[in-house]
Amino acid sequence: MKVLVTGGAGYIGSVVAQQLLDGGHSVVVYDNLSSGHLAAVPPGADFFQGDTLDRPALDAVLQGGGFDAILHFAAFIEAGESMREPGRFFRNNVTGSLTLIDAAVAHGVERFVFSSTAGVYASKDGPLTEDDPVGPASVYGATKLMVEQALEWHHRIHGLRVAILRYFNAAGATAERGEAHRPETHLIPLVLQTALGNRPQIAIFGDDYPTRDGTCIRDYIHIEDLASAHLLALAGLDNRPFMRFNLGNGAGYSVREVIETARRVTGRPIPTVVRPRRPGDPAILVASSAQIQEALGWKSVYPELEQIIESAWRWHLAHPLGYHE
Ligand code: UDP
């Protein structure tokens, strides 16, 4: 298929773009490089620098292009930041996505795969299924939920084939691509930067949550496993015109457990300091991915947190300063 990948210079989008190319698809990456890295774009993909809010630029890319699908990763992703700058998040994530969906319909693109998030759910002490009630704790989660709803209506009205993937916590690295946000706010890369000595300590945002050790519990999923689900979803759209699936490993780890695992993997001391809670953080988010396993045969190849952190650590050792551009 010919596929447009928005956010294909980012952490998840670039790994999916690579897997698409490996699977024989033709890939055009569309990214404004506000947080992505040109160096992360796979060499076999065409690259177009543009913003999802820029309809003329989208038209120029999609015009006469015969695209079979859009995979839409481009978004602001920091839940904490979304609680400080809600307008920026609604505009970029919601208005940008609506602009892209309009362009998809106008240019006859029939398939749309959307990066959603566990952040659409409220905290739950137990695995979340797709049938659990939504209740975002952050503006970020709310923006993703609004786009999910818009896609559902476009499916019903225009017949757009839609796969919504609700990611839990993407982590780990491939040999070529790793997590390098600017600025970095995610737990595992920050912990590993601390292990490398690039940061003096890792802050634990809150140790008074109703969890086993008081810190937040998340379900970490290896980036390659997350990526493989996109190829299955893309192919699955032929038989299932609307899908909404969770993607996680079904095992939750607390912030302290992640840090302890990273100490074991790296063999280095990782000093910590407890700070106040970060606004927008639910206490516990753990996935049941039974539905995507059942429907598409998805299976995680690297389910263990230790394997996930090992792969991230290898990437950090090889790229101590992230991507060089
Ligand atoms: N976290 C933390 N210190 C940090 C970064 C994150 O304690 O420096 C916590 C954060 O509050 C959350 C968990 O680690 O409970 C995972 O956060 P991350 O930003 O990696 O992913 P999110 O769950 O927000 O998508």
Side-chain angles (χ1 to χ4, degrees):
M1 284 190 223
K2 182 168 179 183
V3 181
L4 184 73
V5 178
T6 75
Y11 173 47
I12 303 173
S14 65
V15 174
V16 174
Q18 183 65 62
Q19 286 195 7
L20 286 165
L21 289 164
D22 294 345
H25 297 284
S26 137
V27 176
V28 178
V29 166
Y30 185 88
D31 196 301
N32 66 5
L33 295 181
S34 64
S35 59
H37 308 269
L38 205 48
V41 177
D46 286 333
F47 176 73
F48 196 101
Q49 184 165 356
D51 201 290
T52 49
L53 286 159
D54 186 346
R55 178 65 192 268
L58 286 169
D59 284 338
V61 174
L62 293 170
Q63 200 77 51
F67 283 91
D68 300 293
I70 294 177
L71 275 68
H72 179 35
F73 298 90
F76 293 157
I77 58 165
E78 313 294 355
E81 191 187 337
S82 78
M83 302 300 280
R84 294 191 298 273
E85 299 188 71
R88 213 165 72 83
F89 272 67
F90 282 115
R91 198 157 38 253
N92 187 64
N93 291 7
V94 181
T95 312
S97 295
L98 294 178
T99 308
L100 179 67
I101 295 166
D102 278 349
V105 171
H107 292 278
V109 182
E110 289 176 0
R111 301 172 188 80
F112 200 100
V113 180
F114 178 58
S115 303
S116 189
T117 172
V120 299
Y121 296 112
S123 174
K124 183 180 173 189
D125 191 0
L128 286 153
T129 75
E130 293 80 353
D131 305 318
D132 271 304
V134 289
S138 70
V139 168
Y140 167 67
T143 65
K144 290 289 181 175
L145 187 58
M146 289 166 82
V147 178
E148 284 195 14
Q149 289 165 345
L151 283 169
E152 197 165 351
W153 285 105
H154 281 77
H155 165 66
R156 285 164 65 175
I157 295 165
H158 293 300
L160 184 66
R161 291 174 175 265
V162 172
I164 291 164
L165 300 177
R166 289 177 171 167
Y167 310 156
F168 283 63
N169 287 58
T174 68
E176 298 83 23
R177 295 180 183 84
E179 194 167 6
H181 299 107
R182 297 172 300 194
E184 190 55 74
T185 64
H186 288 97
L187 180 63
I188 291 178
L190 288 174
V191 165
L192 296 180
Q193 287 174 12
T194 311
L196 279 173
N198 294 349
R199 291 174 187 270
Q201 61 200 10
I202 177 77
I204 295 173
F205 295 144
D207 66 353
D208 57 350
Y209 285 95
T211 61
R212 49 187 175 259
D213 64 13
T215 66
C216 285
I217 291 179
R218 295 287 182 274
D219 181 343
Y220 295 88
I221 171 171
H222 194 283
I223 186 83
E224 296 235 46
D225 288 330
L226 194 58
S228 71
H230 292 74
L231 276 79
L232 292 174
L234 188 58
L237 280 173
D238 286 343
N239 299 322
R240 294 171 180 268
F242 188 86
M243 297 180 253
R244 181 188 280 120
F245 293 128
N246 290 342
L247 277 169
N249 280 309
Y253 294 92
S254 73
V255 172
R256 284 195 191 282
E257 288 164 350
V258 169
I259 296 168
E260 206 41 59
T261 307
R263 287 188 180 122
R264 263 201 319 278
V265 166
T266 63
R268 305 205 181 173
I270 301 174
T272 60
V273 57
V274 176
R275 297 264 192 252
R277 291 183 179 197
R278 187 175 70 177
D281 274 344
I284 307 175
L285 293 174
V286 177
S288 162
S289 295
Q291 288 196 20
I292 190 167
Q293 291 172 24
E294 169 80 13
L296 301 181
W298 176 78
K299 205 169 160 334
S300 132
V301 178
Y302 308 102
E304 302 298 330
L305 181 63
E306 196 137 326
Q307 299 173 290
I308 295 173
I309 293 183
E310 273 166 14
S311 73
W313 180 233
R314 278 194 294 277
W315 196 81
H316 275 79
L317 284 173
H319 305 85
L321 301 173
Y323 291 98
H324 299 272
E325 284 161 55

